[in-house]
Amino acid sequence: MVPVIAFIGCEERKEIIDKIAAELKECGYKIGLLKEVTFPREQLAPLDVSAVARLYFGRLFLEQEVDNENFDYIITRIFDGYDIVIADGFAHVDRIPKFEVLKKGIYENSLKGKVSSLIASISDYPIENGKNFSLEEIKEITEFIEEHLIKAAREEISAVLYVNGRRIPLKKYVRKTLAGVIEGFVKPLKMTENAQNILIKVKINK
């Protein structure tokens, strides 16, 4: 699973995201950016469809209906092979760890206790409860993300199971067993030398 960190709160979060992305890129990481935007429904589906893709000079623009349940699956499909995905917004998505950006006199109404997975705040004034970074501590925030998300994800046994777009929780032993079985099946095949990332999709016809 590609690790995701979301930034919510005041508009200054966009500048912080840019600085953190630059720091992570300097460290050699491949970074994806996911921005929350609102489109009128008719723009998403000009015909009666659930997804619209536009290919323009080597760039793919995809508009697709997504809900909270299949959010992880969308991340995996779009950003497979990336080291980290930075999300701008998405306070309503339960499972994403989040930084909240606060600024005195502009945005002081913390969402702590109102949104899930809030791991730290970034502010220009001291926050008493929970972990707090200042707006200037870009390097410290980057190191926190690297240690607690990127490196932690790399140490995990990367076997993830999705059924009908929904992620199925697996215990460590099951993940290890599943990864071993798939690796054992793929290893003898031609053109699979040095395989590090294996994606299998199974469609069951009833």
Side-chain angles (χ1 to χ4, degrees), residues 6-46:
F7 288 80
I8 62 175
C10 70
E11 288 297 312
E12 273 71 9
R13 73 178 187 268
K14 301 181 188 303
E15 183 180 344
I16 290 173
I17 287 172
D18 288 343
K19 291 178 179 179
I20 290 173
E23 284 278 345
L24 289 170
K25 187 176 181 181
E26 188 70 23
C27 295
Y29 293 116
K30 188 176 181 181
I31 311 148
L33 175 64
L34 188 67
K35 300 188 73 171
E36 183 175 18
V37 295
T38 302
F39 290 110
R41 186 170 179 83
E42 60 270 20
Q43 282 189 247
L44 176 66

Side-chain angles (χ1 to χ4, degrees), residues 1 76 157-162 167-168 170 175 178:
M1 177 69 184
T76 301
I157 301 167
S158 298
V160 184
L161 175 65
Y162 290 93
R167 186 175 179 179
I168 307 301
L170 300 176
R175 295 201 308 270
L178 181 60

Side-chain angles (χ1 to χ4, degrees), residues 123-143:
S123 64
D124 61 351
Y125 61 94
I127 304 292
E128 293 183 3
N129 298 322
K131 191 166 186 62
N132 178 230
F133 296 94
S134 74
L135 296 176
E136 291 74 33
E137 290 182 307
I138 299 299
K139 188 172 182 61
E140 289 79 1
I141 298 168
T142 304
E143 289 174 350

